[in-house]
Every structure is written in structure tokens, then in C-alpha cells.
Amino acid sequence: MRVQIAPSVLAADFMNLGKDIEMLNNCADVIHLDVMDGTLVPNISFGFSVIDQLGKIARIPMDAHLMVVHPERWFENLKKDGVSMVSFHYEAAGEDTANHIETIHSLGMKAGVAINPDMPVETLFPYIGKADYFLVMSVFAGFGGQKFIEESLERVARLRKELDARGYDSIIEIDGGINAGNIKAVKEAGADLIVAGSSVFRAEKPEEAVSALRDA
Ligand code: DX5
Ligand code: ZN
């Protein structure tokens, strides 16, 4: 299955972000931006002033992964910054999830719903046919460099089976701990948008790490 690789800027060299974005322009499919607020997750990353700058040089789509409470406060900012895909956590949105999807669509962006590893994957099922993509976390949101949680494979497979059964080929994004050792299993499970932070940016040749993940 042809998959897309979305390196996570969280693992990039913050002293040389422009250089890393140029590198991603030339080898990756999507740029994954982890936005954290220190409340939904126990960490803070970067915000709109950074994303706005990155948007000026990005030539591939930017995918914002909002790990924040009240994600709806920020959809317009992201649109202005040039983001074309926005995911927010079900843990933050709850019953507002369908409304948020509509708001993101009304701004002309693709909408994704994200869940942490301890949220049943069935939580996503009501949004099939509404959301453009689903982000199944394979680590607990908050930090790069964590170990892949194996049960994530089964969760992705269950979601893919449900999508197939209902006749939707929505994107399944998977995020956390993905590397050359587990990429094949991740693809086989049915994920088609693969986030990778450490395994790309800690590689000696990040461009080659991206191609290797894509072609595995
Ligand atoms: C974690 C983030 C991930 C993270 C992935 O909260 O959502 O996108 O940067 O990094 P690795 O690939 O190092 O697990
Ligand atoms: Zn992420």
C-alpha cells in the first residue's frame, strides 16, 4: 500500500528549522506539527508564530496535531498560517467533535479526530463519513521519542475494517514510536499516513530514512 510520510517537526533542529523544512519539502509528503498546551498534555511545544513562519517556506501540506483543550479557538489561526489538515483530540472535544469537524471544513481544511492509546478505537466510529482522517496515537500524546505501543496495530486494523465495511477509504494516521523496525506492521494494519519524529531526525541521513519508511 502506498503510504505518506509525515515527519514530526517536534524532533527537528529548532536552531535550524528553516533548513529542516527545506529538507522535508524535498523528501516528505506532509509536515506534522505538534501543538501542545501544557494542559491536555504535560508538555508545551510551539505555537502560531512559529507555524506562520514555517508556512511561508513549506511546499508540502502542513498537518497540525492539536493537543490542546478548546482546540476550536485555534482553527482560524491555523488556516491563516497555511495549514491544510487539522486534527484535534476527542479527549478535548467530546460531544463537540462533530461541530469541530464542520468548522474545520467550513474553513476549507481537512479535519482529523485523534485519540490516545487508552481511548477505545470505537469512539471514532460515529465520525466515519464526517472526518477526513483519524489519528490513532501509538504513544501517549505529549512527547517524542517514546516506545511504540504494540496494541496500536490491532486498533488500526479494527478501524480499517470498520471503514472498509462502511465503504470509506478515509486516511488513518498513526503517530508515535514509528521506525524501520515496525513500519511494515503499521502498514499491514492499514495505516496510510505515518508520522515519524525521532526515527527521521535522529537518522544520519533523514531524507533516506523518509524514503526507507515509505518504501518498506
Ligand atoms: C507526540 C507527538 C508525536 C511525536 C512523534 O505527542 O504527537 O507526533 O512527535 O515522535 P516520535 O516519532 O519520536 O515518537
Ligand atoms: Zn503528533
Side-chain angles (χ1 to χ4, degrees):
M1 196 209 296
R2 159 85 195 178
V3 302
Q4 295 205 304
I5 307 299
S8 166
V9 167
L10 195 62
D13 175 3
F14 282 23
M15 295 296 279
N16 291 289
L17 269 185
K19 200 168 131 258
D20 276 351
I21 298 298
E22 268 311 328
M23 182 271 289
L24 297 184
N25 278 336
N26 294 320
C27 69
D29 301 292
V30 169
I31 297 173
H32 185 81
L33 302 167
D34 289 303
V35 180
M36 306 177 187
D37 66 354
T39 299
L40 187 72
V41 293
N43 196 7
I44 292 178
S45 53
F46 49 78
F48 304 106
S49 48
V50 174
I51 297 175
D52 175 53
Q53 296 295 309
L54 302 186
K56 291 187 176 130
I57 57 167
R59 296 194 304 277
I60 56 176
M62 294 197 295
D63 162 38
H65 172 196
L66 294 180
M67 288 163 271
V68 305
V69 296
H70 291 298
E72 71 281 4
R73 289 180 181 161
W74 314 113
F75 297 157
E76 277 185 37
N77 293 56
L78 292 167
K79 175 68 184 178
K80 281 192 203 119
D81 291 348
V83 166
S84 55
M85 300 173 69
V86 179
S87 69
F88 58 88
H89 272 257
Y90 179 83
E91 291 87 345
E95 60 191 25
D96 290 331
T97 296
N99 283 339
H100 291 354
I101 293 170
E102 276 182 30
T103 309
I104 293 170
H105 283 163
S106 72
L107 289 163
M109 301 183 287
K110 282 191 182 160
V113 184
I115 49 167
N116 259 324
D118 59 354
M119 180 66 73
V121 76
E122 289 73 19
T123 311
L124 297 173
F125 291 2
Y127 306 104
I128 291 176
K130 296 191 171 99
D132 302 284
Y133 64 107
F134 297 97
L135 172 44
V136 176
M137 291 301 300
S138 39
V139 300
F140 281 88
F143 299 91
Q146 302 181 72
K147 191 177 173 310
F148 183 80
I149 298 173
E150 289 295 326
E151 289 74 35
S152 312
L153 296 172
E154 222 264 305
R155 288 157 59 75
V156 167
R158 282 213 311 278
L159 176 56
R160 181 55 74 196
K161 197 169 155 215
E162 186 71 15
L163 287 167
D164 287 348
R166 298 209 209 162
Y168 288 99
D169 64 352
S170 320
I171 295 164
I172 302 181
E173 183 172 25
I174 184 162
D175 183 4
I178 294 158
N179 55 40
N182 54 27
I183 181 69
K184 276 202 176 136
V186 161
K187 287 182 185 176
E188 273 164 28
D192 45 12
L193 179 57
I194 316 289
V195 178
S198 319
S199 68
V200 168
F201 286 100
R202 304 282 168 272
E204 207 165 306
K205 295 187 176 149
E207 295 94 331
E208 287 179 16
V210 169
S211 314
L213 288 173
R214 194 189 285 117
D215 301 338

